[in-house]
Amino acid sequence: MCGIIGYAGKRNALPVLMEGLSRLEYRGYDSAGIAYVDGNHNHPIHIIKEKGKLIELRRALSLVHATPHIGIGHTRWATHGEPSRRNAHPHLSQDDNFAVVHNGIIENYQEIKSYLKRKGYTFRSETDTEVLVHLVQDEFRGDVLTAFRNAIQRLEGFFAFVLISRHSPNELFFFKRSNPLVVGVGKKENFVASDVPAILPYTKRVVYLGDDEVGCLNEDSFKIVRLKKPTPVQKRIETVPWNLEQAEKGGYHHFMLKEIYEQPRVAEETIRKRLDFNRQRIVFDTLSFHANWRLKHVRKIFMVSCGTAYHAGIAARYMFENIARVPTEVCVSSEFRYSDPILSKSDIVVLVTQSGETADTLAALREARKKGAYTLAIVNVVGSTIAREADCVIYTHAGPEIGVASTKAYTVQLLTLALLALHAGYLRNKIPPKQFEEMLSFAKHIPSDLKKILQEAPRVDQCAKKLYKKHNFIYLARGFSFPNALEGALKLKEISYAHAHGYAAGEMKHGPIALIDKEQPVICIIPQSKTYDKMLSNMEEIKAREGIIVAVATKGDRAVSKFARWTFYVPKTSEFFSTIYTVVPLQLFAYRMAVLNGRDVDQPRNLAKSVTVE
Ligand code: G6P
């Protein structure tokens, strides 16, 4: 999830681009850069880029004395290629006549890269982005917009691009698919940006681009056409009603809520990246032949992680044992070393981590490597320490997560681990082809189902309004839902400061049942599953003791509503994927409870997003 800004107008473009980039800083990034067309007679393109914080780029720019009137800027959150100056955007075409910035992923970049290499193009970075800029050069026959459109039509994936060219030195060219992009309309100046905050100091008048819309702008006007048909699209100029702080959160009150609502989109991106429906295959591009061989012949898997990622590890145990038939053990990273784990060369230690920097998980990784196990990291932040040190890495690509309480990173961890378990099951010949196909078709519905679950928000609100003064909550679940009893309780604790405890429902009789009376709220997670009837019996027992039941159940389930005071529904899916569904109402519930209690949702007391001390 990178940030993009482009400017054409009377001002000096460099401070405008820097201001824009600094307004995107809140999202976090690993490198930044700008490109501008020099006003000289032959309009060369200049590029300045640096790894690290904006201060580095600012320092480099302080040595530049040009005052260009057109340029593009970018903050990078690495997807392909480590964070480095070389991989930072903008990227230049081979002939130096085009420069591009990019947000998103070009799925078929390898194929295009080979095609371009055969034609004599050389690559200066490891990014997928670079293929687009060479392709534009390749397609150029005198008109930049046509070349840009033709080049994009050869790409698969979801992305936003902004391009400048020496051949058309007063114009910016832009394209959007699945990644946000807006045109900012000013007086004698126009902008394009991935996020509204980048242009808010200059204008509140914006045009939101639709998918597969492509266009160009100069200081006086802008033009938008469709990718496949160059007839102009009429667009409405809208006025942004937000101030800067609201705009950073995309109009949501908190980053956490924004991130909860991003889940359908990030799930869709994961599905599009990992599932090849034509060939009925799961694709993990970073798994080498050797890594796949390890997965096929693995003796035992250890899932090692902390916090929310630990709950993803527990979910993964159910997934790997169920579908890939691999014995799987789950450990919290901080305990892993001290149990002196028995590891062999045929074991895989899977480290699950959003940040890739958690000290305990890093220490566990080093211990595992020392003991000779193969290490596989499931990481969100590209180029992080754990990603670099593991034998092999799979990125979750959930984009930057700013809210301390993890939401979208968890759902993408669950989805990625589910697909990895299916992939392992396939490699190990443990899944009949028909079942495999069936699972892929369930997976296909996840993004649209997540959207439906978010529509439960008003019901969640009603429930939270009745319960927000309570200080003790019990969360119960069984089987695939069990990790969400822990995760739901953790979310509530983290941001509302109410005490909450998650249990495997079978354990209820061994203690928690003593707490149940007419004041005690119990959240029961009970989607359709093998353990449904047993869970229903638990609910009956709670009801008999007058406990206040809140249920998360499958749409259409009437039996549950006999016991529950409130029920949040999720669409029907395979039990295997149900963990991805049932957590969403629990996130919404924790969020509402925190807001009603007046808590600092995005930065709860005493907690940190990335825990880099043991
Ligand atoms: C902190 C964060 C949690 C996160 C945990 C593990 O406690 O607040 O949201 O789950 O660290 O972090 P990791 O980056 O390794 O997933």
Side-chain angles (χ1 to χ4, degrees), residues 306-309 352-356 358 361 404-406 413 494 608-609 611:
C306 301
T308 291
V352 187
T353 166
Q354 188 285 127
S355 63
T358 304
T361 308
V404 166
S406 183
Q413 279 164 356
E494 279 181 308
K609 183 76 192 151
V611 181

Side-chain angles (χ1 to χ4, degrees), residues 9-181:
K10 289 267 176 279
R11 301 175 205 244
N12 178 357
L14 300 182
V16 176
L17 296 175
M18 278 313 288
E19 170 81 23
L21 294 181
S22 67
R23 305 271 167 170
L24 300 174
E25 215 169 1
Y26 67 96
R27 300 149 47 102
Y29 57 88
D30 50 57
S31 53
I34 58 156
Y36 61 91
V37 183
D38 198 326
N40 281 334
H41 66 284
N42 64 352
H43 307 295
I45 294 177
H46 293 285
I47 291 198
I48 300 127
K49 47 191 189 178
E50 291 297 333
K51 183 181 167 184
K53 298 252 175 227
L54 265 194
I55 182 114
E56 305 298 334
L57 182 63
R58 197 166 276 132
R59 200 170 288 144
L61 267 181
S62 65
L63 306 173
V64 175
H65 298 296
T67 52
H69 297 290
I70 188 156
I72 54 182
H74 189 265
T75 53
R76 179 167 187 253
W77 170 268
T79 57
H80 293 78
E82 55 163 21
S84 66
R85 190 162 182 227
R86 196 158 70 93
N87 289 332
H89 299 211
H91 291 284
L92 264 180
S93 58
Q94 181 127 321
D95 62 7
D96 294 345
N97 287 338
F98 304 89
V100 75
V101 289
H102 163 217
N103 214 347
I105 292 172
I106 302 171
E107 286 165 358
N108 59 339
Y109 83 101
Q110 287 291 14
E111 191 184 301
I112 296 177
K113 196 166 179 174
S114 314
Y115 161 81
L116 288 166
K117 276 184 171 168
R118 285 198 299 276
K119 291 191 86 174
Y121 287 86
T122 49
F123 283 74
R124 311 182 217 205
S125 76
E126 301 155 300
T127 64
D128 51 341
T129 311
E130 210 184 329
V131 299
L132 185 264
V133 76
H134 294 319
L135 259 190
V136 177
Q137 175 189 329
D138 205 54
E139 291 284 345
F140 182 69
R141 308 279 181 276
D143 179 57
V144 179
L145 186 59
T146 308
F148 188 45
R149 285 180 45 237
N150 288 347
I152 294 167
Q153 288 189 54
R154 302 185 56 170
L155 308 183
E156 287 164 21
F158 35 91
F159 25 67
F161 296 111
V162 181
L163 175 113
I164 49 173
S165 170
R166 199 170 172 177
H167 297 297
S168 195
N170 299 316
E171 284 185 298
L172 289 178
F173 300 84
F174 48 83
F175 171 79
K176 168 195 161 24
R177 180 188 297 155
S178 283
N179 276 265
L181 206 61

Side-chain angles (χ1 to χ4, degrees), residues 9 47 79 98 299 328 354 390 433 446 481-482 546:
I47 291 198
T79 57
F98 304 89
R299 185 191 70 104
T328 304
Q354 188 285 127
I446 293 174
S481 298
F482 165 58
E546 298 182 71

Side-chain angles (χ1 to χ4, degrees), residues 5-17 19-20 68-71 170-172 174 182-193 198-207 216-223 237:
I5 166 98
Y7 176 76
K10 289 267 176 279
R11 301 175 205 244
N12 178 357
L14 300 182
V16 176
L17 296 175
E19 170 81 23
H69 297 290
I70 188 156
N170 299 316
E171 284 185 298
L172 289 178
F174 48 83
V182 291
V183 170
V185 184
K187 284 196 187 107
K188 275 289 192 195
E189 59 185 358
N190 286 310
F191 307 78
V192 61
I199 56 174
L200 265 191
Y202 308 101
T203 182
K204 284 196 156 198
R205 299 174 72 222
V206 299
V207 173
C216 54
L217 62 80
N218 57 29
E219 62 176 37
D220 296 312
S221 61
F222 63 88
K223 174 172 100 176
I237 298 180

